[in-house]
Amino acid sequence: MKNPTVLSRPFFEQKSRAFWMLQGAGWGGYLMLRAVSNFSNRTFSFEDLIRVTIESIVGYCLTLLLSALYGYYRRVPRVSGVLATIATLFAATLVYAVLNAFTVSVMRGDPGIELPLILGSLFLNFTVLAGWSALYYGINFYLIVEDQTDQMRVLENQASSAQLAMLRYQLNPHFLFNTLNSISTLVLLKQTDRANAMLARLSNFLRYTLANEPTAHVTLAQEVETLKLYLEIEKMRFDQRLKPVFDIDPRTVKARLPSLLLQPLVENAIKYAVTPREEGAEICVRARLSGDRVRITVSDTGPGLIEGENRPSLSTGVGLTNIRERLAQAFGPDHRFETRSDPGRGFRVEIEIPFQIEEQAREAA
């Protein structure tokens, strides 16, 4: 385990401990510096050592009082706090100088307070206490900035999670609307057996997907299983016209991706490739490992995008935009999302994401 350093955040996790450590180290260093300074002048004596020791002890006690007062000043209005800090600093400097002068007079055997001794130590005492005060406020400002940074990070994570949940929740109502509409049609046509079967499969699909948190990442294997449940429902509608194909590299099955990321792409392929064509279309979901990247392709053999013609207006507009936003939330700029169309021959979407293994503790149910 590494020892905490003065400027690292863990050192200040326990503020009381950090204060006492810095207080002791600072005034211990001051005592050594004063002792070495007197020794270098070749006038060092035992009395001098006692004097600088008393001076350091007095400074130590004065700064403890200053820390209590400064802590109170930080809670008052800024201007009042600054003025109070300056006044307290000058008062502490004067008290420090008087006490030092009295100590010197006692060491000489003539107790008293002499003005020349006070004036002689004012500058040094002010420099020491002003430096201590600047360090005190500097460290506290640093800790405030760090706390605000941590709070901002927490708020950003919460906002990101909320946005991901919102994007995920856009998918289920979209899918449910289409499925329930199909079930309603089957009921109107008095095809109750097929309607009951579709309801049962819808129940299985919802049980599987709702077990996952909206912001959860799942493995590619889990995502494929979800797609197969979804396609079982759609197979009830399109029968042989829907031809799903899965070509998944076994090395990619543990790759992590946002849950229900691919379902809207398959749904769009069904709408724009299978629905408008009497012979239906093939929908292929392919995954390949390329170095440390996973490439996922969802393609169809439908009409693609034909110039001068728009695709049927069957979508709420959630699909591709939703996928782009969820990828940006999950991977930032470290992903690729492209759509390609071959008019008359098909449409495909290519996704490239980092190959990340989902830890067991974070895997969705």
Side-chain angles (χ1 to χ4, degrees), residues 144-162:
I144 290 172
V145 171
E146 285 293 308
D147 288 340
Q148 290 177 346
T149 301
D150 292 342
Q151 292 174 7
M152 287 296 295
R153 189 177 295 113
V154 170
L155 291 175
E156 288 175 357
N157 289 337
Q158 291 176 348
S160 178
S161 297

Side-chain angles (χ1 to χ4, degrees), residues 22-32 55-64 96 128-129 132:
L22 290 176
Q23 181 79 346
W27 283 106
Y30 175 78
L31 172 60
M32 292 183 60
E55 180 182 335
S56 300
I57 293 173
V58 170
Y60 182 93
C61 296
L62 271 176
T63 50
L64 290 181
Y96 197 13
V128 172
L129 295 182
W132 185 94

Side-chain angles (χ1 to χ4, degrees), residues 179-180 183 187 194-204 236:
T179 304
L180 292 176
I183 293 174
V187 172
R194 296 188 64 193
N196 286 333
M198 185 173 284
L199 279 173
R201 293 179 180 181
L202 175 61
S203 175
N204 290 335
M236 296 286 297

